[in-house]
Amino acid sequence: MTVDDTGSGTGAHPAPGGEPGRTAGPVTDATAARAAAHGEARQDARPGAGPGTRQDHPGHRADAGGGPQGDDRFAAGGDHRGDHRGDGRGGDARPEVRADARHEANGRVDPQAEPESDEDPLALRLEGLILGAERRYTPFQAARSAGVSMELASRFWRAMGFADIGQAKALTEADVLALRRLAGLVEAGLLSEAMAVQVARSTGQTTARLAEWQIDSFLEGLTEPPEPGMTRTEVTYPLIELLLPELEEFLVYVWRRQLAAATGRVVQAADDEEMVDRRLAVGFADLVGFTRLTRRMEEEELGELVEAFETTAADLVAAHGGRLIKTLGDEVLYSADDAGVAAEIALRLIETMANDETMPELRVGIAFGTVTTRMGDVFGTTVNLASRLTSIAPRDAVLVDGAFAEELTRTGASPASEAEAAEAAAAAEKEGEEPPSYRFALQPMWQRPVRGLGVIEPWLLARRADES
């Protein structure tokens, strides 16, 4: 959320379900009464009041794009009815002014006036329920109340992906608390200012995508009208009221589990340098002919195919000890500390997709080497090489680079060649011992130039005949 430092009042809050250029505040008693008449649970007239709400929910709604850029729609100009600037007292500003703009010059509400804001009352009530607090601060007031400069507050809000709102009264106590916490970590020396901005950006981008997924997929399925004649909106409020505390607790649980796992991997690194630049196996799995599919399939069918692919890939990667870095529609990127784990995931993906007639063919490329990790993503030559290997891999096949092949051989997961495997088996038989058991087989392919990386020698990865 970028802001207008001048306090001019330009801009407006993009409330859920509302129209850009308008702000909104607490819902009136009359609105709540009308909502109750439509079968919605009766709530206090203030947004967020009622059972199951909390005062520590995350603050202002993020921009749908999830990125740090502001939204030009909220620049200077536009209709600012309902934009009520505070009295300049920062944290002492009281939410006495309603955002439906039915106010006389002395600030009193005219009960006979028609509300000017045409924002959906249900959307306002949902916002209050989710945020757990009512709108009471402009960005300037929120920054001052948190003891943070407008410059730093703006950097944090942009990093979290919040849209421009000028100086509209659209922020809550939770927004103030979030600013205090981030600034406090910087003041205490626990985080640098740059690191605090990175924390804000990574959290904003991750949760923005999560929120979009939940609204588009999860709630869409759950809010089908339970009875004929009921609209989806009539069941949305009570449903969110029940789900919100449960999903919030579940989110924290999963985050703690993932944090514990990531911390464990880092502390096991051999040295400080390896904590940042680590040797990993990186794999890309790509659906073959996806562009052609987009021309033939309906949008809904295409969405179902992508979701099935991403779900299958995520399940297989997690089940076998890898980490899903990101999904790109027709492609997934994963990593693993162990080359054998990465190889198993790749072959499982090929086998699973081949057994599903609805899925197109798949190809996988894997490289092993030093990888730079940053904000949950991976970078470096190893990642680029894995991507290039994927682009030249045959259908339903896995190509790996020489470093990956050496790592499999070193760990005993694969013989260097079939001749070596035969020699080892003969020697073991002569000594009366069990022959070595290999999980994978490697076949060298022709050397070929790869754009930006020179000439490489790829290897075809497969299961050993006795392991298939």
Side-chain angles (χ1 to χ4, degrees):
M1 171 176 49
T2 56
V3 293
D4 177 6
D5 295 358
T6 64
S8 63
T10 59
H13 173 54
E19 177 181 319
R22 302 183 188 276
T23 63
V27 181
T28 63
D29 287 334
T31 301
R34 288 196 300 270
H38 284 285
E40 297 168 357
R42 178 69 171 95
Q43 301 293 324
D44 189 289
R46 295 175 299 128
T53 62
R54 295 179 55 175
Q55 296 301 313
D56 59 352
H57 288 305
H60 184 62
R61 182 182 73 89
D63 181 28
Q69 290 83 7
D71 190 333
D72 293 335
R73 294 174 301 170
F74 305 104
D79 183 2
H80 304 295
R81 292 173 295 178
D83 179 6
H84 300 286
R85 281 177 287 169
D87 56 7
R89 293 177 294 174
D92 296 331
R94 303 301 300 167
E96 297 173 351
V97 182
R98 295 188 181 274
D100 54 15
R102 297 179 297 163
H103 300 89
E104 300 172 352
N106 59 8
R108 296 178 181 175
V109 176
D110 179 4
Q112 302 300 321
E114 289 295 324
E116 294 189 45
S117 174
D118 56 1
E119 289 189 84
D120 188 342
L122 177 59
L124 297 178
R125 293 181 61 215
L126 286 171
E127 181 193 87
L129 173 64
I130 295 171
L131 298 184
E134 60 189 8
R135 302 175 183 179
R136 60 180 297 181
Y137 298 107
T138 66
F140 181 80
Q141 291 170 338
R144 185 167 63 177
S145 182
V148 177
S149 69
M150 275 301 304
E151 180 183 0
L152 183 57
S154 296
R155 289 189 67 195
F156 285 155
W157 285 326
R158 290 189 189 104
M160 286 184 275
F162 297 161
D164 291 355
I165 64 168
Q167 287 300 326
K169 182 174 287 188
L171 306 186
T172 72
E173 199 66 46
D175 295 289
V176 174
L177 181 59
L179 283 178
R180 283 187 189 142
R181 282 175 170 161
L182 273 179
L185 292 173
V186 175
E187 291 175 2
L190 297 174
L191 294 177
S192 67
E193 186 173 307
M195 182 60 68
V197 171
Q198 287 183 9
V199 168
R201 179 170 291 112
S202 61
T203 305
Q205 291 178 355
T206 302
T207 54
R209 185 177 183 186
L210 174 63
E212 288 294 329
W213 185 92
Q214 289 176 331
I215 293 299
D216 292 344
S217 302
F218 187 53
L219 291 179
E220 181 179 357
L222 286 180
T223 54
E224 290 296 334
E227 297 179 10
M230 292 188 68
T231 65
R232 180 173 295 171
T233 56
E234 287 175 332
V235 298
T236 298
Y237 190 99
L239 182 63
I240 290 182
E241 188 175 30
L242 292 172
L243 286 175
L244 187 62
E246 302 301 326
L247 292 178
E248 182 179 33
E249 293 297 328
F250 183 70
L251 175 62
V252 173
Y253 156 74
V254 175
W255 171 72
R256 284 182 178 272
R257 271 289 184 181
Q258 294 286 4
L259 185 63
T263 303
R265 290 192 295 268
V266 169
V267 298
Q268 292 175 18
D271 51 44
D272 291 342
E273 183 177 347
E274 191 178 343
M275 289 185 181
V276 178
D277 296 323
R278 305 164 57 194
R279 286 180 62 79
L280 298 174
V282 178
F284 279 93
D286 177 61
L287 292 175
V288 178
F290 184 77
T291 303
R292 291 192 300 272
L293 284 176
T294 60
R295 302 191 189 103
R296 300 201 311 263
M297 300 179 70
E298 297 291 336
E299 289 185 3
E300 185 174 351
E301 293 178 318
L302 193 62
E304 291 175 354
L305 183 145
V306 170
E307 183 176 356
F309 170 57
E310 291 182 351
T311 300
T312 300
D315 290 346
L316 287 173
V317 170
H320 291 87
R323 293 183 298 284
L324 187 67
I325 304 299
K326 57 187 173 184
T327 59
L328 304 170
D330 62 330
E331 190 175 54
V332 296
L333 169 62
Y334 72 93
S335 68
D337 297 317
D338 181 75
V341 169
E344 182 66 28
I345 291 171
L347 293 173
R348 291 274 183 177
L349 283 170
I350 295 289
E351 294 159 359
T352 302
M353 296 298 174
N355 291 328
D356 188 340
E357 296 181 354
T358 65
M359 283 290 175
E361 295 164 306
L362 190 71
R363 55 189 178 188
V364 182
I366 314 177
F368 187 86
T370 301
V371 174
T372 299
T373 60
R374 184 179 178 85
M375 293 179 64
D377 208 343
V378 290
F379 306 92
T381 303
T382 303
V383 180
N384 295 336
L385 179 54
S387 177
R388 299 289 188 272
L389 287 168
T390 305
S391 66
I392 64 174
R395 297 166 182 257
D396 287 337
V398 182
L399 279 188
V400 304
D401 73 327
F404 186 90
E406 290 178 6
E407 185 68 11
L408 281 182
T409 302
R410 185 186 68 81
T411 57
S414 170
S417 65
E418 289 302 311
E420 180 181 296
E423 291 177 3
E429 184 178 357
K430 184 177 181 180
E431 297 294 331
E433 300 175 352
E434 286 290 327
S437 177
Y438 300 108
R439 297 165 56 197
F440 308 109
L442 291 166
Q443 177 185 344
M445 307 291 285
W446 291 104
Q447 292 185 352
R448 59 181 300 173
V450 174
R451 180 168 53 89
L453 297 172
V455 178
I456 64 171
E457 182 182 4
W459 294 69
L460 185 66
L461 175 72
R463 290 196 188 279
R464 292 275 295 170
D466 52 352
E467 291 290 331
S468 59

